Amino acid sequence: MTQLQDNPNLAAAPKASMDPPAEPWWRFFTFSTDHKVIGIQYLVTTFFFYLVGGALATAVRAELATPEADFLGFERYNGAFTVHATIMIFLWIVPALVGGFGNYLVPLMIGARDMAFPKLNAVAFWMIPPTGILLLVSLLTEAPAAGWTSYPPLSLISGQLGEELWILSILLGGTSSILAGVNFFVTILKMRMPGMKLGDMPLFCWAMLATSVLTLIATPVLAGALILLSFDLLAGTAFFNPSGGGDPVVYQHMFWFYSHPAVYIMILPVFGMISEILPVHARKPIFAYKAIAYSSLAICFLGLIVWAHHMFTSGTPDWMRVFFMIATMAIAVPTGIKVFSWLATLWGGKIRLNSAMLFGMGFVSMFVIGGLSGIILSSVPLDVHVHDTYFVVAHLHYVLFGGSVFGIYAGLYHWFPKMTGRMMNEFWGRVHFVLTFVGFNICFLPMHKLGLMGMPRRVAQYDPQFADLNWISSVGAFILAISTLPFLVNAIYSWVAGPKAGDNPWQALSLEWTTTSPPPHQNFYGDPILLTGPYDYGLHSKETLDYFAAQLQTLRELSLMEAESSHS
Amino acid sequence: MNALNNIILVAIGVLLTITSLWYGQNHHLLPESAADSAPLFDSLFNSTITIATGIFLVVEGVLLYSAVRFRRRRGDQGDGDPNHGNVLLEIVWTAVPAVIILWLGVASLDVYQAINGGVNVGGHAHSAMAMSMESSYEAKAEDPSYEYTPVVVANGVVGQPDLVVQVQGMQYAWVFTYPESGLVASELHLPLNKRVRLDMTALDVNHAFWVPQFRLKQDVIPGRETHLEFVPSELGEYPIVCAELCGPYHGVMGGQLFVDTPEAFESWQEEQILAARPDSDALALAAETHSSSAFAAAHRQRLGISPSDLTSIHSHPGSRHSAG
Amino acid sequence: MQGSLAPDTLMVGHTQAHAAHAEHPDHRVFGVLVFLVAEACLFLGLFIAYLTYSLTAPVWPPEGTPERELLLPGINTLILISSSFVIHRAEPAIKANDVKGLRLWFALTALMGAIFLAGQIYEYSNLEFGLTTNLFASTFYVLTGFHGLHVAAGLLFILAVLWRSLKPGHYSAQHHFGVEAAELYWHFVDVVWIVLFILLYLL
Ligand code: HEA
Ligand code: HEA
Ligand code: CUA
Ligand SMILES: [Cu+2]
């Protein structure tokens, strides 16, 4: 019991004896029900798939470096971008955000010992590897080549086996995320520590609440669409096949009823993480907590009634186009509230420009570009020109890469110390940021012009007039590919041999930072206690905070002693 | 807020506005325009770009300024000022976007009606829009960039097209049928300044008919007829792009659109009909019924233009038109 | 809870919290409800697709679709609906620690469910149209079949509860989550069928 003599001070790194037993490496390969283990399992698995999806993207860009279809060839090209997109969405962004960060952070942030249904949680994770395997196997057969949207009738005649594997893969992944959705909904509503009201939750939890609602309502409809599609594909029914009286547009409605909310499933958690990261490194309270929290719910609601903005040229009736145009544009308002609140949070702060913050601010700057191009797309007459062109490809990468991926990197740099107990290397972190930021813009900025000038998407061969911009874009893609290497090396090295992080390297105030890094199995020694609000920066003197830290330390030692005595 | 600050703020504001306005007019992001509705698109696009540029500059400006001005100084362990809300500010940055959105919505509605109004794709909202149409005409009357022939007359009745062409999309070819003459062609010739309606359908999978210079696009879907209506306003040859993924060779499914003087258009029709004489009736018939002979005809037509990918058409499952 | 707590209150908070997390609240029933919401959305999606077809088609069902007789499905429907009331009797039974009653009502429900499924299969085998006859036929088989799968799942669930109830003391007045879950699921399957029946047979 050496701890009792230590000077109890959270800010200082705790003595070795206070360190929790490090997770034995093999636990990450078991059917663990600990939400922290599961969260890390998700993050590592999905990052591997990110590399695979990225490798495919690199191949796509290599094909597009020249106007002729001379690298992959026509068939393989379509397979490549289809699987690229499917992996990036269903095996990277969604599981990394919800499964990865959601799992790791939500219970810690609300002072719970674990998720509401730990076994279910583990089951949901172990559905991800088979999902990926099915998809990768489909690459080896006649790959699914109808795009990630997989519109019939085309999807019915291009590679039956590959298409069916694609469907099964997404059905599995969808089931996984529905189970996760149930888990988060119940956990956030029912498992908050005594005394924590919804209004005391960190904003990330609000975002996860909205996300799980979207998952629960929208994902099943996609499952329905894919089941009908399988029947058309295998049993010869004609739900979506006009030759048998079916209607391809019905599939489009069902698909987008899920896949538009899906894009908010892929951004709301990032909004949440940014709302956590900016205040910590700007040393200021989040600006307009309530507005940000409720805007997540507003986006959740609006996100469910805009899907047909992907179908403005599908011969949808006028009234539908008009309704969906207005509803879509409305989303700019709640999103704007978030963006401006983040800016106000930065304003007058004492900003630490470390890797986490660089990616956090990078997210804001890049996402806004994607959002603005989104507003252009939402205007029916404008969309009629740019629909299915590279302008859309530019938009979706600005929001998905400039948005979601930048956000994930920010989150990784920010919570890596908590997850592993070790710090990442700052220098290489910044190198990673610069390479990513530069490569990203070189790669995707030119696509706006390409689309507007007349280059359609999903083509392996294109008009030579577009050669120059495409070449530039491909160069950017290769820079992006390289940019992942410093991150990989940095992460792996730091995990093994990085300097010890201590409980709270960023002097952050949300609950997860009041326990050790990595936290013990039940997350908290004794019971978690809300000493401050999650964003009370500048509201407490250093003395008060040290005093709180001391109290926490005493409590921790007490509970350790209890543990000791109960064992002996 | 002393006077100097105010001056600086105003200066920034003016600079911002000027930059946005300038970029809105000089973005060089669009190809030349060749249909009477295209200028409408362009002016809406330009004003949208102007606003977007403004918003972009504000956001990035604040970000960069904060990154520099509010960077933590070395050794400073303190916190920023704990201000965490300002109702007035929040109202402003909720209201301003709302207003912008409202404007954009109304403007888009006007332009959409003007471009697309003739084509009644099932318009519940139609009469209502016809109303908003009228108002918009007056408003735009004096603006030179808006000279186009109204598609919808005041009471919302569809104006009659001067020429109707049936368009068929099939894996990797467009087939154009001129009902009056029964002429079937693989390139689309249109007379200048005449209102044209395209009645479009697909034989196998979804395609999309897109002419970038017209700023018009419409999916072409098997089992249903979709329409485009427009007035070509510039002589010349323009690419027809298939914008909807329709198979491996989606990228090479192109076509040419020629806007001819009425005379040139007539003579072209003459030639074609003569050229096609031997099996013209077969073709005409083929064009109506979506039979395999239409498919064959189409490819016979195509032989002329790009034999390169004809091989490809036969060499993969896509061209089983059992699909459609 | 904003910060400035005195140490003693801290300790109080500490011990209180201990008490709080001693009895683990059980959220499983709520979880089942949330899951059923998702399930409902799945069926809702299919229903709306069906409605779209029926409303956009010139004639619905497409001409040439053989007439379906209503008698057998009607009886089947009655059986399924009444089974919901039967299974509902099980909960008060177990709440009164009456495991026998629980077994009785669950066995009865299982029986009725089985009859319903048998009826479905019988109807399938006697219909003049097949899965791919026309769009209506396809929607008919997929919707009813998909629902049938859920009935089968519910049946297995109920049998599982029965099996476990054989183990003395497995279910008690306090602990009978399995019973509640099975009942909830069964009610859900029942409601879905009512909508299905109206859509496919009556409209
Ligand atoms: C993370 C994913 C994500 C996000 C967040 C968004 C956000 C938005 N998207 Fe995007 N979108 C995609 C992913 C995403 N999208 C994908 C993947 C596709 C392609 C699918 C495919 O076909 O393959 C797509 C396609 C797509 C289309 C269809 C294009 C087409 O195929 O023709 C449209 C059309 O309306 C659209 C609109 C929007 C809008 C209005 C937003 C809004 O939510 C944006 C709101 C944000 C802002 C507006 C910026 C911040 C706000 C302010 C600074 C306030 C001031 C601003 C104003 C007043 C304007 N998107
Ligand atoms: C989150 C989503 C996401 C992300 C992160 C990305 C990332 C990238 N995407 Fe993707 N993309 C989509 C989602 C995404 N994309 C979607 C939804 C579509 C639409 C598909 C459709 O039309 O159906 C699309 C389509 C799409 C296209 C258009 C294809 C077409 O329409 O013809 C292109 C073309 O340039 C492209 C490029 C890229 C590039 C260069 C990256 C880069 O950011 C990737 C950077 C590279 C890496 C991160 C990999 C680095 C590692 C290595 C190279 C080593 C490999 C190692 C191992 C395998 C172990 N994407
Ligand atoms: Cu036809 Cu693409
Ligand atoms: Cu969308």
Side-chain angles (χ1 to χ4, degrees):
Chain A
M1 300 272 58
T2 55
Q3 303 95 317
L4 289 181
Q5 287 88 46
D6 301 344
N7 155 24
N9 181 342
L10 250 190
K15 281 268 191 300
S17 58
M18 282 299 295
D19 287 353
E23 290 288 343
W25 61 272
W26 50 263
R27 283 204 65 226
F28 292 104
F29 297 86
T30 60
F31 187 88
S32 165
T33 59
D34 180 333
H35 72 97
K36 299 182 292 303
V37 175
I38 294 176
I40 290 171
Q41 285 174 323
Y42 265 110
L43 285 173
V44 173
T45 317
T46 53
F47 197 87
F48 167 76
F49 283 119
Y50 173 49
L51 291 180
V52 179
L56 284 163
T58 317
V60 164
R61 274 325 312 176
E63 173 63 81
L64 294 172
T66 62
E68 288 308 315
D70 44 17
F71 180 66
L72 290 171
F74 291 99
E75 276 90 354
R76 246 181 277 111
Y77 177 83
N78 289 15
F81 74 72
T82 300
V83 178
H84 155 66
T86 314
I87 286 183
M88 287 297 193
I89 288 177
F90 294 100
L91 286 158
W92 164 231
I93 301 296
V94 172
L97 285 173
V98 178
F101 286 103
N103 256 309
Y104 197 95
L105 295 175
V106 165
L108 281 167
M109 285 178 164
I110 63 175
R113 307 241 166 233
D114 204 318
M115 297 286 287
F117 310 116
K119 277 206 198 62
L120 196 68
N121 204 10
V123 171
F125 166 73
W126 283 104
M127 286 181 172
I128 294 297
T131 306
I133 292 164
L134 280 171
L135 203 57
L136 294 182
V137 170
S138 80
L139 255 187
L140 307 178
T141 70
E142 358 162 51
W148 84 284
T149 52
S150 193
Y151 282 4
L154 180 61
S155 53
L156 300 175
I157 63 168
S158 51
Q160 198 188 44
L161 176 57
E163 187 65 23
E164 189 53 32
L165 285 169
W166 180 88
I167 291 174
L168 291 176
S169 157
I170 292 182
L171 282 176
L172 198 58
T175 316
S176 161
S177 62
I178 290 176
L179 297 183
V182 173
N183 222 336
F184 282 107
F185 192 74
V186 177
T187 306
I188 295 172
L189 288 186
K190 298 279 185 189
M191 304 277 288
R192 295 191 310 281
M193 62 179 286
M196 181 189 270
K197 296 181 288 313
L198 279 173
D200 307 327
M201 289 195 306
L203 287 161
F204 178 72
C205 302
W206 278 97
M208 286 307 297
L209 189 63
T211 307
S212 51
V213 170
L214 284 177
T215 313
L216 288 168
I217 296 178
T219 319
V221 178
L222 177 69
L226 293 182
I227 288 164
L228 296 184
L229 192 64
S230 313
F231 272 93
D232 279 8
L233 193 65
L234 303 178
T237 55
F239 294 108
F240 306 131
N241 193 340
S243 64
D247 184 351
V249 178
V250 171
Y251 172 88
Q252 297 182 14
H253 277 290
M254 294 180 85
F255 178 85
W256 288 118
F257 181 82
Y258 164 76
S259 288
H260 182 81
V263 308
Y264 294 112
I265 293 174
M266 291 188 279
I267 205 69
L268 280 172
V270 177
F271 288 167
M273 295 201 288
I274 296 301
S275 306
E276 300 302 324
I277 293 167
L278 295 189
V280 174
H281 298 287
R283 311 309 302 162
K284 272 190 67 200
I286 188 77
F287 197 91
Y289 172 95
K290 275 203 169 54
I292 295 183
Y294 295 152
S295 65
S296 292
L297 302 185
I299 292 174
C300 168
F301 169 72
L302 287 170
L304 283 166
I305 55 167
V306 300
W307 72 89
H309 65 216
H310 297 270
M311 302 167 58
F312 284 152
T313 67
S314 304
T316 37
D318 277 339
W319 65 270
M320 227 191 237
R321 302 191 202 195
V322 172
F323 170 80
F324 283 104
M325 166 169 80
I326 303 301
T328 303
M329 289 176 172
I331 298 182
V333 175
T335 319
I337 291 177
K338 286 182 188 289
V339 170
F340 294 126
S341 306
W342 291 328
L343 294 180
T345 307
L346 295 174
W347 193 270
K350 296 193 175 172
I351 299 174
R352 309 184 189 133
L353 281 179
N354 50 23
S355 315
M357 192 58 157
L358 284 172
F359 273 104
M361 293 171 77
F363 161 87
V364 178
S365 63
M366 291 298 99
F367 173 76
V368 164
I369 300 179
L372 292 171
S373 59
I375 292 303
I376 292 178
L377 290 169
S378 67
S379 160
V380 174
L382 299 184
D383 181 66
V384 162
H385 177 57
V386 289
H387 171 68
D388 266 332
T389 68
Y390 262 83
F391 189 86
V392 176
V393 177
H395 161 70
L396 74 89
H397 286 92
Y398 264 87
V399 283
L400 273 171
F401 193 102
S404 309
V405 176
F406 271 57
I408 290 177
Y409 276 135
L412 286 173
Y413 281 105
H414 183 71
W415 280 290
F416 187 90
K418 181 51 63 179
M419 294 177 176
T420 64
R422 295 175 183 276
M423 303 299 290
M424 281 182 85
N425 177 294
E426 260 310 311
F427 172 75
W428 288 108
R430 289 171 198 203
V431 171
H432 174 218
F433 171 75
V434 173
L435 279 175
T436 311
F437 192 85
V438 172
F440 170 73
N441 283 289
I442 296 178
C443 181
F444 295 110
L445 197 61
M447 292 183 182
H448 292 101
K449 177 157 189 172
L450 281 173
L452 288 159
M453 293 300 286
M455 179 168 171
R457 61 191 284 195
R458 298 170 165 179
V459 297
Q461 180 176 348
Y462 54 85
D463 185 320
Q465 78 182 77
F466 303 124
D468 300 349
L469 285 177
N470 271 293
W471 190 80
I472 296 174
S473 169
S474 295
V475 171
F478 296 130
I479 300 179
L480 265 182
I482 294 163
S483 76
T484 49
L485 298 183
F487 172 79
L488 270 178
V489 176
N490 189 353
I492 294 169
Y493 176 84
S494 310
W495 200 336
V496 179
K500 285 252 184 299
D503 292 2
N504 190 0
W506 312 126
Q507 298 85 42
L509 294 180
S510 42
L511 261 181
E512 76 267 27
W513 299 102
T514 63
T515 182
T516 50
S517 316
H521 279 310
Q522 293 288 300
N523 289 351
F524 299 95
Y525 297 87
D527 290 293
I529 295 162
L530 285 172
L531 292 168
T532 72
Y535 306 111
D536 290 356
Y537 301 99
L539 292 178
H540 308 287
S541 67
K542 189 154 186 344
E543 294 66 37
T544 336
L545 289 175
D546 289 349
Y547 169 71
F548 291 159
Q551 292 302 330
L552 278 170
Q553 192 75 355
T554 338
L555 287 177
R556 180 181 305 174
E557 285 154 6
L558 275 168
S559 59
L560 282 178
M561 274 163 60
E562 283 173 18
E564 295 281 332
S565 50
S566 58
H567 284 210
S568 53
Chain B
M1 265 297 173
N2 56 45
L4 182 61
N5 281 0
N6 291 340
I7 294 168
I8 294 175
L9 271 183
V10 172
I12 292 176
V14 172
L15 206 70
L16 223 144
T17 321
I18 293 173
T19 327
S20 313
L21 284 170
W22 178 83
Y23 187 68
Q25 300 307 318
N26 303 278
H27 48 68
H28 305 300
L29 288 174
L30 292 168
E32 83 275 21
S33 72
D36 68 346
S37 61
L40 280 173
F41 171 98
D42 294 7
S43 57
L44 177 62
F45 182 77
N46 291 352
S47 15
T48 315
I49 285 287
T50 307
I51 295 173
T53 313
I55 295 168
F56 169 79
L57 290 175
V58 169
V59 174
E60 307 295 338
V62 173
L63 269 173
L64 284 176
Y65 181 79
S66 318
V68 177
R69 168 74 176 67
F70 300 121
R71 206 166 70 262
R72 181 179 68 94
R73 300 283 173 269
R74 202 170 251 83
D76 179 348
Q77 291 300 342
D79 290 346
D81 80 290
N83 152 14
H84 52 72
N86 176 327
V87 179
L88 182 65
L89 257 180
E90 292 174 42
I91 291 175
V92 169
W93 70 47
T94 310
V96 171
V99 171
I100 296 176
I101 287 311
L102 220 63
W103 170 82
L104 183 59
V106 173
S108 303
L109 207 63
D110 274 359
V111 175
Y112 173 55
Q113 270 308 291
I115 293 176
N116 221 38
V119 187
N120 181 348
V121 245
H124 290 45
H126 201 80
S127 52
M129 293 189 202
M131 302 302 294
S132 72
M133 291 279 314
E134 278 177 294
S135 59
S136 68
Y137 290 148
E138 274 81 276
K140 291 168 188 151
E142 58 277 346
D143 183 336
S145 73
Y146 279 102
E147 10 99 74
Y148 61 88
T149 51
V151 182
V152 176
V153 282
N155 56 12
V157 177
V158 177
Q160 269 314 312
D162 309 317
L163 172 66
V164 174
V165 184
Q166 293 167 353
V167 179
Q168 283 165 352
M170 67 189 66
Q171 271 173 322
Y172 323 128
W174 295 105
V175 179
F176 307 101
T177 310
Y178 294 75
E180 304 92 77
S181 57
L183 169 63
V184 179
S186 60
E187 17 177 82
L188 181 58
H189 283 253
L190 298 174
L192 182 67
N193 290 332
K194 290 274 189 299
R195 169 153 299 281
V196 182
R197 191 180 83 225
L198 303 181
D199 298 345
M200 307 191 288
T201 186
L203 297 187
D204 37 37
V205 300
N206 293 1
H207 304 271
F209 180 97
W210 181 32
V211 179
Q213 287 73 7
F214 289 4
R215 318 280 193 262
L216 289 176
K217 181 186 289 109
Q218 173 59 56
D219 288 7
V220 181
I221 303 166
R224 68 163 69 185
E225 189 173 78
T226 53
H227 306 273
L228 267 184
E229 192 162 329
F230 54 87
V231 177
S233 61
E234 298 290 335
L235 291 173
E237 175 186 347
Y238 306 105
I240 299 171
V241 182
C242 175
E244 182 66 56
L245 179 61
C246 55
Y249 301 92
H250 158 61
V252 297
M253 176 170 170
Q256 288 94 344
L257 184 154
F258 298 85
V259 180
D260 304 336
T261 59
E263 305 72 40
F265 175 69
E266 286 312 323
S267 52
W268 172 78
Q269 265 190 325
E270 307 297 305
E271 293 165 18
Q272 290 300 308
I273 291 167
L274 288 174
R277 180 67 77 223
D279 51 357
S280 63
D281 47 349
L283 283 180
L285 178 139
E288 265 88 61
T289 66
H290 303 167
S291 69
S292 58
S293 69
F295 198 79
H299 292 312
R300 221 174 307 127
Q301 291 284 345
R302 273 175 71 69
L303 271 167
I305 353 163
S306 60
S308 59
D309 36 85
L310 198 71
T311 47
S312 65
I313 286 157
H314 299 303
S315 69
H316 81 291
S319 49
R320 297 199 324 256
H321 41 270
S322 61
Chain C
M1 117 279 130
Q2 279 301 329
S4 54
L5 296 165
D8 52 343
T9 50
L10 268 185
M11 294 314 167
V12 175
H14 173 106
T15 42
Q16 275 175 345
H18 246 308
H21 110 267
E23 23 85 18
H24 267 299
D26 185 346
H27 304 304
R28 287 178 297 177
V29 174
F30 183 53
V32 172
L33 283 172
V34 176
F35 177 74
L36 287 182
V37 169
E39 279 264 49
C41 290
L42 173 50
F43 279 100
L44 222 61
L46 294 173
F47 291 159
I48 290 171
Y50 175 86
L51 281 174
T52 324
Y53 289 132
S54 60
L55 294 180
T56 52
V59 274
W60 191 261
E63 70 277 314
T65 312
E67 268 311 312
R68 291 142 290 133
E69 49 95 9
L70 274 177
L71 180 61
L72 174 65
I75 298 169
N76 239 352
T77 308
L78 290 181
I79 294 176
L80 195 61
I81 294 177
S82 35
S83 74
S84 246
F85 293 96
V86 174
I87 200 172
H88 189 64
R89 302 289 298 279
E91 201 177 349
I94 192 62
K95 283 229 171 80
N97 256 329
D98 165 13
V99 180
K100 279 206 173 43
L102 166 67
R103 291 203 199 112
L104 168 65
W105 299 120
F106 262 56
L108 206 54
T109 316
L111 184 66
M112 296 167 97
I115 295 173
F116 175 86
L117 283 179
Q120 280 277 282
I121 294 164
Y122 176 82
E123 191 190 5
Y124 278 8
S125 51
N126 290 0
L127 282 170
E128 299 93 71
F129 54 81
L131 174 62
T132 58
T133 306
N134 63 26
L135 192 54
F136 172 80
S138 308
T139 47
F140 176 87
Y141 277 108
V142 168
L143 284 175
T144 52
F146 205 56
H147 172 266
L149 277 180
H150 281 72
V151 177
L155 191 57
L156 291 177
F157 197 169
I158 291 175
L159 292 175
V161 172
L162 266 176
W163 174 256
R164 289 184 159 193
S165 71
L166 296 177
K167 194 149 125 283
H170 186 88
Y171 294 115
S172 70
Q174 292 72 30
H175 300 289
H176 49 266
F177 162 71
V179 178
E180 289 179 78
E183 183 183 343
L184 278 172
Y185 191 79
W186 195 253
H187 289 321
F188 169 76
V189 169
D190 204 358
V191 172
V192 169
W193 175 258
I194 294 172
V195 182
L196 250 178
F197 186 73
I198 296 172
L199 279 182
L200 289 176
Y201 292 89
L202 304 186
L203 288 190

